[in-house]
Amino acid sequence: SGVMPIFKASLFGVPLPLCSCGVIPVAMSLSKQGASKGATVAFLLSTPQTGVDSILVTYSLLGPVFAIFRPLAALATGFIGGVLVNVFGAGPEAAGRRLEAGGQTTEGGGRQADPVVPLGKRIVGGLKHGFVTLPRNIGKPLLIGLAVAGVISALVPDDFFADRLGKGLPAMLVMMVIGIPIYVCASASVPVAAAMILKGLSPGAALVFLMTGPATNAAGLATIWNALGRRTAILYLATVAACSLLGGLLLDAIVRSVDIHVGTHVHNMGPGLVQHVSAVILLAILGYAFFAPKRG
């Protein structure tokens, strides 16, 4: 109970590479094992917005300011949403549902220790996840996002978004309306946001898209509505909307105050040879992940 589990749930969710649909069964499992509604919602809010994969993509395409600000915004959104749900939307918690930390409860009330996995097997499992499972999960949407960004960069005139959407809150509201109902993963949304910034969209409005797009979609909201209740779903959506707008306004204020050019130049990640070799290695990893036979 209290706010610390909400903070921990939000914090643990930030680096996990789960999309807004993939996070739902994990969060429902946490809820069934005794997590409060607030902690469950905090995990649901922070996890899909970012991840260790999307942080690296964000750094390479949008620079260090975005790469630092985005996970902090996800952490704050999860914490605020979890606290609001605990205060306004949580019912009485069922006694006896909570599992003891570090093991599973047996029928006799005792504690069954988790099986010990050898270190070598854990290392192999981690490498397999990093070089096969994760590229298979994010590779296709990331390539689609890069293709969409390429089309925007090639066909959309400069200052297109600035001329039509303007600056400040109006542009953020438009991006929020676009981002809430659509489904886009945290990594795939970054190239699209980078292309829109190059065409005149403000960094704050792009952040609104980066927060609302991965965090919400129609299917996910319907599941939260059915599983956690109407009030929780409304608080979830309101938290995403309010925090994305506040985050966008704060980011624009930071960019203006220190004269940072976000997303308007190429970030040098190393010598040209390193870039080309890295690109070939990345394509090889994606190709292997796509075409390698799936095993249990």
Side-chain angles (χ1 to χ4, degrees), residues 5 12 35 63 80 85 99 111 116 132 134 147 208 214 218 232 244 246 261:
F12 293 158
I80 292 171
V85 167
L99 295 178
R111 185 177 159 202
V116 178
V132 179
L134 184 59
V208 172
T232 299
S244 65
L246 290 174
H261 300 283

Side-chain angles (χ1 to χ4, degrees), residues 102-129:
Q104 297 180 340
T105 304
T106 63
E107 291 183 1
R111 185 177 159 202
Q112 179 181 348
D114 294 330
V116 178
V117 181
L119 177 61
K121 191 172 183 179
R122 294 203 302 269
I123 292 175
V124 171
L127 291 174
K128 181 181 178 182
H129 180 84

Side-chain angles (χ1 to χ4, degrees), residues 256-271:
R256 285 194 302 268
S257 64
V258 295
D259 194 25
I260 300 174
H261 300 283
V262 178
T264 57
H265 64 282
V266 177
H267 300 280
N268 186 11
M269 300 296 290

Side-chain angles (χ1 to χ4, degrees), residues 48-50 54 57-58 61-62 66 70 138 141-146 148-149 152 175 179 182-197 201 206-215:
Q49 288 189 53
T50 185
S54 65
V57 175
T58 302
L61 294 180
L62 295 174
F66 249 109
R70 192 181 181 192
I138 72 169
L142 180 59
L143 292 176
I144 293 174
L146 288 170
V148 172
I152 293 174
M175 298 311 297
I182 67 170
Y183 174 80
V184 58
C185 76
S187 296
S189 62
V190 178
V192 179
M196 290 192 291
I197 291 175
L201 190 69
L207 178 71
V208 172
F209 176 74
L210 289 173
M211 291 178 67
T212 57

Side-chain angles (χ1 to χ4, degrees), residues 208-232:
V208 172
F209 176 74
L210 289 173
M211 291 178 67
T212 57
T216 61
N217 64 72
L221 287 173
T223 303
I224 295 171
W225 186 292
N226 292 328
L228 298 177
R230 178 181 63 181
R231 184 179 297 182
T232 299

Side-chain angles (χ1 to χ4, degrees), residues 146-293:
L146 288 170
V148 172
V151 171
I152 293 174
S153 300
L155 301 181
V156 175
D158 292 341
D159 295 325
F160 175 86
F161 294 104
D163 294 340
R164 284 158 179 78
L165 300 182
K167 299 285 187 180
L169 190 59
M172 296 178 194
L173 289 171
V174 172
M175 298 311 297
M176 182 185 70
V177 171
I178 293 173
I180 285 178
I182 67 170
Y183 174 80
V184 58
C185 76
S187 296
S189 62
V190 178
V192 179
M196 290 192 291
I197 291 175
L198 289 174
K199 298 303 178 179
L201 190 69
S202 70
L207 178 71
V208 172
F209 176 74
L210 289 173
M211 291 178 67
T212 57
T216 61
N217 64 72
L221 287 173
T223 303
I224 295 171
W225 186 292
N226 292 328
L228 298 177
R230 178 181 63 181
R231 184 179 297 182
T232 299
I234 293 173
L235 288 171
Y236 179 97
L237 186 59
T239 301
V240 173
C243 289
S244 65
L245 293 175
L246 290 174
L249 292 171
L250 179 59
L251 179 60
D252 274 351
I254 292 174
V255 170
R256 285 194 302 268
S257 64
V258 295
D259 194 25
I260 300 174
H261 300 283
V262 178
T264 57
H265 64 282
V266 177
H267 300 280
N268 186 11
M269 300 296 290
L273 179 61
V274 174
Q275 293 179 7
H276 294 144
V277 171
S278 300
V280 171
I281 294 174
L282 178 60
L283 288 174
I285 291 173
L286 292 175
Y288 178 80
F290 288 157
F291 299 111

